Amino acid sequence: MKNTLLIEKAYINGKFITATHKFDVINPSTNKLVGQLPNLSVADCRTAIQAADHAWKSWRKTSIGDRTTIVRKLYEAIRANKNELAEIMTLESGKPLNESLGEVDYGNSFVEWFAEEGKRSYGETIPSLKNGLRLSTIKQGVGVVAAITPWNFPLAMITRKVAPALVAGCTIVLKPASQTPFTAIALAKLAADAGVPDGVFNIITSKDSSEIGKELATNPLVRKITFTGSTKVGQILMEQASSTIKRVSFELGGNAPFIVFDDADIDNAVEGAIAGKFRNAGQTCVSVNRFYVQDTVYETFANKLAFAVSKLKVGDGLEKEVQIGPLINRKGLDKVKEHLADALQKGAKILIGGSQIEGNFFEPTVLSEVAHHSLIAEEETFGPICALFRFKTEEEAIRLANNTPFGLAAYFYSDNIHRCHRIAEQIESGMVGINVGLISNAGAPFGGIKQSGIGREGSKYGLDEYLEIKYLCFGN
Ligand code: ADP
């Protein structure tokens, strides 16, 4: 049956549009064409920004009740179209269908959360230090928001930006990743059906990310830019956004440590390691990148992990029971191979896996005795490789875990409550999983410190990212 949400058009000012120049979207599992989309120009991007600016004039005046009702309808529409959305996501990203179905729920949990939280954008009354003045604050939407999103979560990385922006009364121009734009277009269709007015949510499809990104980051009509992707691109966008002092929020790269202490429940740690490492074939910004395992439990953990990894099923995401899909493209695969070769050259040993299967598929791999100065310890691998490092003391574990310019997620396992508090407080990261490998939750603040980002998504803080505080001073 045809998937009616797979629409080969961009979306500007309430219209699905086409263009003579198109680009291909390729299924990374089969290397077959998923479809073609308009390769829009900077001029088209400007048109979308102007449409968003125009729409903002009326959208900002709608009531919070009306906006949250529309966003709630969007939530219902996503639920009703869960299978269609998941299929599109698997076709364009390669992730196993079960994960795509999970991502629809996860992505939609932000829509539900903000449909509720939008009602609570409270201002304050403030005691005045002088007689005769009454002080208060109100919160208002920042205005036109530009959003640039990556391919690893084609829906969730969009909904956690778009849902709070909508309820805050902002309008949006979104540039989804050119690898996975169809999920975004499907979302626009559902948003239009849910009653999001023309011009409030616009999607620019383009292969030319840097030109479109520059326009979004420098156009004076755009008040805020929100981006999820690499630290390198985040740096470019921040510099460009400085020309008009835009507000920014960035979710950037990570280099997550996963520490296993000698007092940990090892089976629990192995389960958490599989969940934290192999979701989306290791292609998430919170994927575990460095496993630090205490000397005395090192062999036990390594052997149990290798055994669990040997059970993982790799294949086309549309096939039943597949747990690991392909890498997103050749570039992603090459990075994994480069990290592996470097680790081996510096003395690492392969416990399981270690080879490309075919096409963009790579075997789930466990490496032991990895040297601390390996590339895999310094950069995100974004692939299905577990790199195991050894440590002796708690101080050493903390020092190694924090020895990175990144600070997004960190995980550790220990059954000692005092140690848990000590480590949680000393780890330099925005999020810490304690005896758990999956931490994302719409009600919790997601975000990084150091070069992993600015701002938070999800939670009440994720709404504040789209609101300005206006201070009102009433005289007599
Ligand atoms: P990844 O390596 O995960 O693809 P990127 O940061 O390169 O991470 O890409 C994330 C998003 O940023 C994608 O939508 C991509 O098209 C876009 N992008 C890439 N380069 C630029 C750029 N110079 N300016 C703006 N956006 C960019």
Side-chain angles (χ1 to χ4, degrees):
M1 212 174 68
K2 192 166 164 18
N3 190 328
T4 53
L5 284 182
L6 202 144
I7 303 164
E8 292 180 282
K9 290 180 175 157
Y11 185 67
I12 299 179
N13 205 14
K15 293 189 180 56
F16 287 93
I17 60 160
T18 187
T20 33
H21 293 292
K22 299 207 165 111
F23 66 94
D24 294 344
V25 177
I26 302 293
N27 178 336
S29 282
T30 61
N31 280 324
K32 290 203 179 115
L33 185 72
V34 179
Q36 290 190 315
L37 277 166
N39 195 22
L40 296 183
S41 64
V42 169
D44 297 318
C45 183
R46 245 171 245 148
T47 306
I49 294 169
Q50 279 154 7
D53 185 55
H54 182 73
W56 181 46
K57 311 252 178 326
S58 43
W59 183 241
R60 68 194 293 192
K61 288 192 190 139
T62 55
S63 72
I64 289 187
D66 286 346
R67 293 198 295 269
T68 52
T69 298
I70 289 175
V71 174
R72 179 79 202 178
K73 281 191 188 145
L74 174 60
Y75 165 76
E76 302 294 349
I78 293 172
R79 254 171 74 126
N81 290 276
K82 179 171 170 176
N83 292 329
E84 290 76 6
L85 283 166
E87 187 192 35
I88 293 173
M89 225 186 280
T90 292
L91 285 174
E92 63 182 1
S93 76
K95 71 170 65 181
L97 191 60
N98 259 341
E99 280 195 32
S100 296
L101 289 164
E103 187 184 335
V104 177
D105 286 341
Y106 172 58
N108 209 13
S109 70
F110 290 96
V111 183
E112 183 182 37
W113 169 270
F114 286 110
E116 294 159 356
E117 194 61 17
K119 298 167 190 161
R120 291 182 270 278
S121 49
Y122 302 122
E124 295 171 307
T125 54
I126 301 169
S128 172
L129 295 182
K130 292 184 198 147
N131 278 339
L133 294 178
R134 288 185 177 82
L135 320 183
S136 60
T137 62
I138 55 172
K139 289 187 180 172
Q140 297 177 305
V142 299
V144 177
V145 171
I148 301 178
T149 52
W151 47 264
N152 59 350
F153 289 93
L155 183 71
M157 296 303 106
I158 297 176
T159 52
R160 48 159 82 173
K161 299 177 189 310
V162 168
L166 286 176
V167 297
C170 302
T171 56
I172 302 133
V173 180
L174 166 71
K175 210 294 287 173
S178 57
Q179 295 90 340
T180 59
F182 281 112
T183 306
I185 300 292
L187 182 69
K189 169 79 173 87
L190 297 179
D193 292 349
V196 173
D198 293 354
V200 169
F201 181 29
N202 307 274
I203 300 189
I204 295 290
T205 54
S206 170
K207 211 45 198 166
D208 200 349
S209 304
S210 53
E211 286 305 303
I212 299 294
K214 189 172 172 197
E215 179 62 28
L216 292 173
T218 54
N219 189 308
L221 295 178
V222 174
R223 300 284 179 88
K224 171 183 173 116
I225 184 151
T226 169
F227 168 71
T228 299
S230 62
T231 296
K232 196 175 106 233
V233 173
Q235 283 162 344
I236 296 171
L237 291 171
M238 194 162 176
E239 199 174 328
Q240 291 171 341
S242 71
S243 64
T244 47
I245 316 287
K246 291 191 202 320
R247 280 184 62 175
V248 294
S249 51
F250 291 154
E251 300 292 349
L252 308 175
N255 182 4
F258 184 108
I259 311 171
V260 184
F261 288 103
D262 55 6
D263 51 18
D265 175 333
I266 300 295
D267 291 328
N268 195 17
V270 168
E271 199 184 315
I274 297 284
K277 176 73 227 185
F278 289 102
R279 192 164 56 127
N280 207 16
Q283 303 171 105
T284 91
C285 50
V286 292
S287 294
V288 179
N289 208 45
R290 301 169 288 152
F291 287 89
Y292 293 113
V293 188
Q294 199 153 14
D295 224 9
T296 44
V297 293
Y298 190 92
E299 267 72 32
T300 313
F301 177 80
N303 291 333
K304 287 192 173 199
L305 181 64
F307 180 72
V309 168
S310 73
K311 303 278 172 220
L312 294 172
K313 187 165 179 236
V314 184
D316 183 331
L318 289 179
E319 280 170 29
K320 268 219 160 84
E321 286 162 22
V322 160
Q323 292 155 294
I324 313 277
L327 279 313
I328 186 70
N329 52 26
R330 172 61 62 173
K331 201 173 132 218
L333 183 73
D334 288 347
K335 185 171 190 193
V336 169
K337 286 169 146 180
E338 185 198 356
H339 279 199
L340 177 69
D342 172 81
L344 293 177
Q345 198 246 323
K346 289 173 181 155
K349 295 187 184 64
I350 296 176
L351 293 188
I352 189 150
S355 306
Q356 178 184 358
I357 301 174
E358 60 174 12
N360 294 326
F361 293 92
F362 198 89
E363 283 180 327
T365 298
V366 179
L367 296 179
S368 75
E369 310 301 345
V370 183
H372 290 298
H373 61 290
S374 305
L375 266 183
I376 214 166
E378 288 163 7
E379 295 172 13
E380 258 179 331
T381 305
F382 245 57
I385 300 187
C386 301
L388 271 54
F389 307 82
R390 233 177 239 278
F391 74 88
K392 286 199 168 63
T393 64
E394 194 177 297
E395 293 68 33
E396 189 189 2
I398 288 288
R399 183 176 52 73
L400 289 166
N402 288 343
N403 184 24
T404 166
F406 301 101
L408 193 58
Y411 311 84
F412 70 88
Y413 279 70
S414 164
D415 273 354
N416 177 335
I417 186 71
H418 307 294
R419 174 175 264 170
C420 286
H421 284 293
R422 265 198 315 273
I423 304 296
E425 286 160 13
Q426 290 179 80
I427 286 252
E428 293 176 355
S429 67
M431 299 173 281
V432 187
I434 302 152
N435 296 321
V436 65
L438 288 180
I439 53 177
S440 301
N441 186 307
F446 188 105
I449 61 170
K450 299 179 16 187
Q451 291 180 31
S452 287
I454 297 175
R456 294 294 180 266
E457 291 190 322
S459 81
K460 61 178 179 176
Y461 304 104
L463 180 59
D464 282 339
E465 299 286 342
Y466 297 89
L467 292 167
E468 297 283 10
I469 295 172
K470 188 182 275 176
Y471 156 50
L472 310 179
C473 181
F474 289 88
N476 277 326

